[in-house]
Every structure is written in structure tokens, then in C-alpha cells.
Amino acid sequence: MKLQISALALVAALASTSAASAADAPSAAHLAAMKKLVASGQYKTAVAKLTSDYDRIVADLVTLTEIPAPPFKEQTRAKAYMEMLKAHGLSDVEMDAEGNVMGLRRGTGPAGGPLLVVTAHLDTVFPEGTDVKVRREGAKLSAPGIGDDTASLAVDLGLIRAMDAAKIKTKGDILFMGNVGEEGPGDLRGVRYLFSKGKYKDRIKYFISFEPGRERITNAGVGSKRYHVTFKGPGGHSYGAFGLVSPAYAMGDAMAQFGKIQVPAKPKTTYTVGLVDGGTSVNSIPFAMSMTVDMRSEGKAELKTEEDQFLAILPKAADAENATRSTANGKITVDNKLIGDRPVGATPMDAEIVQVAAAAVAAGGGKPSFGASSTDSNIPMSLGVQAVTLGAGFEAERAHAPDEYLTLDKPSDLQHMAIGLATVLALAGAEVR
Amino acid sequence: MKLQISALALVAALASTSAASAADAPSAAHLAAMKKLVASGQYKTAVAKLTSDYDRIVADLVTLTEIPAPPFKEQTRAKAYMEMLKAHGLSDVEMDAEGNVMGLRRGTGPAGGPLLVVTAHLDTVFPEGTDVKVRREGAKLSAPGIGDDTASLAVDLGLIRAMDAAKIKTKGDILFMGNVGEEGPGDLRGVRYLFSKGKYKDRIKYFISFEPGRERITNAGVGSKRYHVTFKGPGGHSYGAFGLVSPAYAMGDAMAQFGKIQVPAKPKTTYTVGLVDGGTSVNSIPFAMSMTVDMRSEGKAELKTEEDQFLAILPKAADAENATRSTANGKITVDNKLIGDRPVGATPMDAEIVQVAAAAVAAGGGKPSFGASSTDSNIPMSLGVQAVTLGAGFEAERAHAPDEYLTLDKPSDLQHMAIGLATVLALAGAEVR
């Protein structure tokens, strides 16, 4: 889960990504259809099941939270979640080659038709060795990763049980998934695989990623480019070899020049030097220094322009250093490694998935909060597949911090899980009575 | 041991530190006196003892090398060396409050008179956990720290045995010492203590520090100032908090500006950014970034000027960043910590200690190689106490590298140990027949 920007900023952002204004969702027709769905007996039965299942959902999220899932090390949690998917009676339960786990809830339509993906990500930002034991003080449950995104995995299982309890059938198949690689270094590898090599890749009509929160409808994906840049040189003794070129001055110059880049406020475009590292000792001219850079934009062209400006700075900084000091023992060179590449994308406001999600929030007594963020939905959005990232129902705080926690609030939690249920049912073509 | 600059560069350097030219040492009188000393029967007996003791000197250096002595963790080796000093019959053997170990070889003069310090440093540059087992392949002995400066500790013990075997008495006392804190982070703490708080501080007339090498006479001390600089700011999410001030741009600017400082070639003055570190994650505006800087000069005024220029850059870089981006959540601040402070100093070419050392090299069949370096002698030099750093006799290679080694060459090793012996005897006022 990445920080979501405000609806206000989004109006401007969407203007640039050719989506309609926030005022258009939900349409009267979508709201009316949704109101009919949530008034049905079967939906009410399903919500009753969610309610009676509340403690189990909480128990599941504690179980899953306590299985560490650092980036690229999600396998233990993935296997546990795969067993849970099997126990929920899904068909074709499997782990794909990237490490995603998934199973189908078959619809009434012919096999192989369009499907809805409902996913939450397995990975957390926390490294191996982090204490992930859940501490409970009253309604407050604390543990790294408990909200982002472990709680959503447990909620999705609750949705399956609720649909089953109410004997709800859908026209289309629903692929329930726990995916890998959403956080930083994972670079969306799980969902990227799903859409590039996964066996369902040509069948996905709608894509929902559940993340912590309530009433959020993330329908624009902030694109990002991340680079690890290393300046290299001959190095040497700080005193004996003084006068030789140094990666330190080249990198310092590049950092300073990068800080001068002008970016548009709309579409929002940002950059940062996140990390620096390097050198041999206090009394050595470094032979290598590195920096890690993050660039983001809601605009595809703006992200490209920013990236081009950044990439042009690097050789200039190396050249300037080579022109300033001696290259007798070697020149300063610069290596760029693209370590993150999240496409810009958006799902238009008039797309069915946005209309349905907004109608479910409104019919459920809430107020849709549209926004742009960088989540698993970036991948389908960039491919033109209708996708949204929605709040699963629990309200979590301090995501990405060791003191992450969520506060249980049963009536409100259930109200918002029911909104998610309604969204899933409507998109999968539920045949409710 | 620090890199020694060439005699050629030194001629210029010394001109600025008011020492005489290299051509003046040794004087004819000093050479004549030294020739007389080395022709004496007692000196020859002492050299014969060194020769018969060669294998023991090698055994001692292996024993000491295999006791790790990282900076600030010299105690185990210090205790072992203290026991060796005791076993050599010195009086007043002790460890001082800083961790130096020492013992007196009393002279024939009244107690409490001027004395000669003969020291080698206990510490190596290598961190805890480094494998310090000595590997021997033919004449090649390899281990981290074997040359710098462990071999000198063993040679100094050999000098005591040689003087005792020849029943040589000196007028003045000789304080044999193994000192702590010569390397990088130690910042000369052992010898600094000796001259500021040690009980012999007001009695030291001459100071010899033995280091690896042959015929080197380091009679100028390169001064250095080292800083650890931290730029701090409010930090924040790279996307959500974009626009806030960042330590990265302030530090990059400071690095680039530092790289533009103009320093004189004579006296040699240098600077480097040795290490950089900082940041939270690729997608965070850092709340702290640090760099470690080394500045050196053979000229006291030039070092001060350089330091002042550097220190002026830092707040300017912080101010520039505070003027460029938002300080709504806090400003960029900068902290400097002085982590190294080695005074500039020189022992003039006409000083007795330089003349005697040069005469011993010449009388021993060698050619004195004068130079400037940054060693324990910096401290007495800066205080006006006559001091030199001399080669103990073994030729070591790859100092400060894990593949450090020395190649045994018995005739040449002994020739150069005998030169050291002659220097010590002459300075302590040996009464040889």
C-alpha cells in the first residue's frame, strides 16, 4: 500500500489522464442497481455470515501476520494462504512460478470466460528477523504488517465464506489470490507476472486489489522509476593519491543538480534521493559511491521527461569530475540500474468497475474517496484492464512503521467489509434473490 | 603507519616548516661520532646477539601478530606485550590509563632525568573477527597487521636483549613502549596521552616511533582534521511529502562545493570525502545523511584555512536547501563532529635526533630517506619535542590490506635493525667501549 493522494489533487490528475470528474460516480443507474443488490435476501444472509464470522476473520489475520513475509521471502506465508484457499473449497488452487497463490470460485458461465480477480498482497515491507508477534491491548492489535496488507487476506477469505453461506452464484469466475511483490523492491512482480505470463492473463476483465482502509477507491496509478546509480573511479589514498578523480564529487554534483529539476504540480510529479552509500575509509578516495533514486508521476509523459533529465545529469557529472581532476589512474564512470518500474495508469471514472465500487460505497452508507496511488492495480491500469484498489474494511495506522496497528471497531469494520462484498458480487454478476 | 611522501616533495614541504634542506644530514661530526660507536666492541657484541636472536624476533612477531588488536581493542595484546617487557627485566613496567604499556631501562644518570622513548604501536587497522593467523610460505609471512606495526614491537624487544647481552649502559633512561591508538580512529590517543597526562610527559627529550621499513626518517608530521558531518531534516514520504527540504540535496551541494576548494601544492594540502551514508528507504525523503571527510596538510596555517573553508560550506549548503524547498515540517540542520585531529609538526633537519638517525643510516651502509607522514611522532613534533619515525628493519608490503605480508631477508633485516640499535644507543648516550 502506498500513500494515496487526496481527491482534490486527483481531480487535477485525472484531467490529465482523461478520466471523468469525480462528480460522475456513481451514476444514478449504478446506484439503483446496487441498492437492489444490497436489499436482496441472499446479500443480507451473506452479511449476517460476515458478522458471525468476525472473530474468525480477526483470528485469521493474526495467524497470517505472525508468518513473516519479507519482500522476496513470502513463500511460507504463501503456502499457508494456499492451504486456506483450498480449505475454502476453491478449484484450481495453485502457486504460480512467481509465487502467487490463487484459486477459482467458479461461476455459472462457461469455463474460460472473463473473470474478476480479487487479491491482496502477501508481502510486507519488513525484513527478515522482524518480530511479527501480534500484541493485543483492548481493541488495538499491533504488529508490523498487520494492516498492510495482511488484514485484507483474511477479509477476502471471509467474503468467500459469506458468499457460500448465502449460496450466492455469480455468472463469472472469481479468482481469489494472495500475490507476492507489491512492496518496494518487489516492484509489483506478482501482479506483473499474472498479467504477462500467468495462465489467466487473457481472461481478466476486472481487477480488485484490497488494501487497508475504508471507502477508498484508487482508480489512478502513480507511475514510478527507481534507479540505483553507482559512480566508480580508481580510488586511492586520501593523501598520497590526492588529485585523482573522486566519485564523491561527481555524485555530490549529480545530487545537487537533481535537486534543481523543475517538475509540474499537475500531474503530480516527484523525485527523491532516498539512499546514499559508499567509500572505503575516512582516509581513502572512494572507488565507488552509490545513490538510490525514486521518481514518480501521475503523467506518463511527465515521468518520461523527468527520467530523461535525471539520466542526462549523470554522465555530465562524471564528465565534469574527469575534467576537474586527474584521470591518470582511471576515469569516473557511472552505472545506472533500473530497480523499479511501475507504469502510470488510470481507470476512467465512467468505467464499470469504478461505477460499481462507488455505488457500493454510497449504497453502504459511505462516501467514495477517489485517489491516485502506487499499488498492484498500476499493472492492469497500464494495460487498459479495469482495476481499482479498494479498502478492505479495517482501518490501519502507521503502515511501513514497526509500530503498525489496527483498531478493531466491529460495526464499522463489518459495514465496510459488506461494501467490498457488494462490489465483488456486482462485478462478478451475482444472481441474487 | 601512513603513507610517506617522497624526499623530493619533502624538500619543498620542509621549506615551509622551517626545517633545513635534506642535504644537511648527517653532518660530518655526527657521522664521525656514529662511525666510532659502530666500531666499538660492545656494539659489535650487541649486533652479534641480534643476529643469534633473529629466529626469536621472528617468533615473537608471529606470537604478537596472532593476538588481535583492533582500534580501541588493543588490551589483550597490550597485556601480553607488558609481560614480555617485564620478562626483559625493565623497571616500572605498567599499563597507563589510556592502555599504553611501558617499562624503563634505567640509565647511569640520576633518576628522573631526560629520557628517550622507543615505541611501536600495538593497534592494527583490522576489525574484530579478522583472521590474524600467520601463514608462512618460504620467506614470506602473511597476516593482517604483521608489518604495521607488530614486527616493530618484536624488534624493540630484540634491541633490549642485544644491549643487555653486550652489557651496554646509557646515561639516560630509555622508555620502551607499546602504544595504543595510532591508526585512523585511534587518532594518536596513546601518544597524545603520554605527552598530556602520562607520568613521563615532562621528561621526554627524544621520541622514536618504529614502523615497518628501512632507512626511512620521517621528520615531518602531516596534520589532519577529520569530520563526520550529518545533515538532518524532517524526512517524509517521497511522493506524499514531496516538496519538503531534503538532506540529500544539501549534502550533495556541500560535497560538490568541497570538491571545488583550491589547495596549495606546497605545503602539500589535501582533502577527501571518504564515506557517505544515509537515508531510510528508496521511497523516503531522508531524515539524515552523513559524510566523513579527511583534510591534511604539512602546513599548519594551510590546514586551518582548508578547515575553515570546509566548515563555511556546510551551513551555506543547509541554508540553500532551506531556501529552495518547504521547511513547513522542519529545516535542514547540520552537525559537525571532529573525529580526528592530528597536529602538523616537524623536527628540523639540524635537530640532534635527525642528525643521529641519518648518521646511523649512513654509517650502517644505507641512504637516509627523509619524509613527511602522519604517525605517532606528530604529537611530539607539534609540541616541539624532537621526534622521528624510523624503519625498524623488516620490509612489509600491503599495509592496511588483508593480504599484508613481510618477506624475511635475514642479512638485510639485521643490517637495518642494527641501524636502529645504533640510533637508540647514540641518543641515549651509550657509554660503549
Side-chain angles (χ1 to χ4, degrees), chain A residues 2-5 184-185 222 226-227 237-242 246-249 251-253 255-256 258-261 263 268-286 289-290 292-294 296-298 324-325 339 372-373 400, chain B residues 2-5 184 222 226-227 237-242 246-249 251-253 255-256 258-261 263 268-286 289-290 292-294 296-298 306 324-325 339 372-373 400:
Chain A
K2 296 294 168 305
L3 202 103
Q4 167 145 336
I5 61 163
V222 176
R226 292 172 176 176
Y227 280 92
H237 194 284
S238 65
Y239 185 69
F242 180 71
S246 168
Y249 309 121
M251 190 166 98
D253 182 32
M255 288 163 74
F258 189 41
K260 291 176 184 165
I261 286 184
V263 289
K268 183 169 177 176
T269 303
T270 71
Y271 58 86
T272 198
V273 175
L275 297 164
V276 297
D277 185 36
T280 309
S281 71
V282 60
N283 56 341
S284 299
I285 299 169
M289 273 195 180
S290 300
T292 308
V293 159
D294 173 75
R296 301 190 184 203
S297 182
E298 288 161 13
T324 301
R325 269 166 275 266
I339 56 167
S373 182
H400 293 204
Chain B
K2 296 294 168 306
L3 201 102
Q4 167 145 335
I5 63 162
V222 176
R226 291 172 175 176
Y227 280 92
H237 194 285
S238 66
Y239 186 68
F242 180 71
S246 169
Y249 309 121
M251 190 166 99
D253 182 31
M255 289 163 73
F258 189 41
K260 290 176 186 164
I261 284 184
V263 288
K268 184 169 176 177
T269 303
T270 70
Y271 58 85
T272 197
V273 175
L275 299 163
V276 296
D277 184 37
T280 309
S281 71
V282 59
N283 57 340
S284 299
I285 299 169
M289 274 195 178
S290 300
T292 307
V293 160
D294 174 74
R296 301 192 185 202
S297 182
E298 288 160 13
E306 183 183 37
T324 301
R325 269 167 276 267
I339 57 166
S373 182
H400 293 204

Side-chain angles (χ1 to χ4, degrees), chain B residues 351-366:
Chain B
E352 183 68 10
I353 197 169
V354 176
Q355 290 291 329
V356 166
V361 172

